[in-house]
Amino acid sequence: AQKVTQAQTEISVVEKEDVTLDCVYETRDTTYYLFWYKQPPSGELVFLIRRNSFDEQNEISGRYSWNFQKSTSSFNFTITASQVVDSAVYFCALSEGGLPGGGSQGNLIFGKGTKLSVKP
Amino acid sequence: DSGVTQTPKHLITATGQRVTLRCSPRSGDLSVYWYQQSLDQGLQFLIHYYNGEERAKGNILERFSAQQFPDLHSELNLSSLELGDSALYFCASSDSPGANSPLHFGNGTRLTVT
């Protein structure tokens, strides 16, 4: 069965520190997609990145970077030089490709989230 | 702003009552998803509609139902409400029913059942 585990419940860092949020997933599908979402204190869920199971290239976007490793079923998220505005709950999520025309494509299975607090 | 609109933002009601949550997807998006976020269960997928038809069901209770209308807006109906139904309910939309499309979430409706 599909599952997403974010073992870190809460992380607290001081501004300008680097921080890595861990995500481990389980799936039997060979085609799947991984996502990260951010939920700031205001409550909305903001899409950050999508990665498909066939593309193991790491990605960097400004201070954010993502490391996808199929061998360890992990999709970790690093924030470099953290800022107070990065304080939020971060969710890793999995979407399975399933069979063509199959039913449950598209719905996301979320991890429990990691609450990141960045202190000035 | 994700472009997904949810109303109302807050809802307070009593046990046993029925409420309707409304969602307007992003312009052009045909897929609408409903999620429930609670402290103990986290973010749980409820149901998915694509262009008016139900595509997938998750952990949705029988007391809950949803539909997507021809103009693509969606409503989630919660009936015989219980204290445990208190949660943040999110609607999300995407441009396709496939697994590769990122979901864009609304700001949620916070339901409090007293």
Side-chain angles (χ1 to χ4, degrees):
Chain A
Q2 60 273 33
K3 189 178 174 183
V4 176
T5 302
Q6 294 180 256
Q8 303 148 310
T9 308
E10 290 193 44
I11 300 176
S12 183
V13 299
V14 176
E15 216 173 11
K16 296 183 184 170
E17 280 186 31
D18 298 347
V19 58
T20 295
L21 310 181
D22 297 333
C23 172
V24 173
Y25 62 92
E26 292 176 32
T27 177
R28 281 181 282 195
D29 270 13
T30 54
T31 301
Y32 53 90
Y33 300 84
L34 296 163
F35 301 80
W36 277 93
Y37 281 83
K38 173 182 180 180
Q39 187 174 37
S42 48
E44 71 272 25
L45 280 163
V46 179
F47 165 69
L48 295 178
I49 189 171
R50 173 193 61 204
R51 174 65 71 218
N52 75 55
S53 53
F54 299 110
D55 181 3
E56 284 194 72
Q57 270 195 331
N58 292 331
E59 180 149 344
I60 298 175
S61 175
R63 297 184 296 106
Y64 295 172
S65 62
W66 291 269
N67 182 271
F68 174 35
Q69 292 198 338
K70 283 179 80 169
S71 59
T72 55
S73 297
S74 65
F75 185 43
N76 296 338
F77 173 28
T78 297
I79 302 175
T80 303
S82 59
Q83 300 176 2
V84 172
V85 293
D86 295 327
S87 296
V89 180
Y90 290 86
F91 292 95
C92 180
L94 165 72
S95 174
E96 293 178 320
L99 296 170
S104 3
Q105 296 176 3
N107 46 289
L108 295 173
I109 297 124
F110 283 88
K112 294 289 190 189
T114 297
K115 183 177 181 181
L116 173 65
S117 298
V118 182
K119 302 191 185 312
Chain B
D1 184 0
S2 68
V4 177
T5 304
Q6 287 188 251
T7 56
K9 283 188 71 170
H10 301 277
L11 204 47
I12 301 174
T13 190
T15 54
Q17 295 298 304
R18 173 190 167 96
V19 297
T20 297
L21 312 184
R22 183 189 166 100
C23 168
S24 294
R26 290 188 320 164
S27 177
D29 283 358
L30 300 180
S31 263
V32 169
Y33 301 78
W34 286 97
Y35 281 80
Q36 179 195 59
Q37 185 178 31
S38 61
L39 280 174
D40 51 347
Q41 296 292 326
L43 273 157
Q44 299 268 306
F45 166 67
L46 295 178
I47 199 163
H48 169 205
Y49 279 86
Y50 177 74
N51 203 20
E53 293 194 6
E54 182 185 303
R55 286 296 293 254
K57 260 184 174 176
N59 299 319
I60 188 166
L61 299 171
E62 283 193 18
R63 301 183 284 108
F64 296 0
S65 64
Q67 54 184 323
Q68 186 180 27
F69 294 87
D71 68 352
L72 301 176
H73 92 271
S74 178
E75 292 180 358
L76 178 66
N77 299 298
L78 316 176
S79 61
S80 303
L81 284 167
E82 301 174 0
L83 295 177
D85 297 327
S86 295
L88 188 52
Y89 291 84
F90 283 106
C91 168
S93 73
S94 70
D95 55 9
S96 87
N100 61 331
S101 294
L103 271 55
H104 298 274
F105 286 81
N107 288 341
T109 294
R110 184 166 295 282
L111 173 66
T112 303
V113 182
T114 61

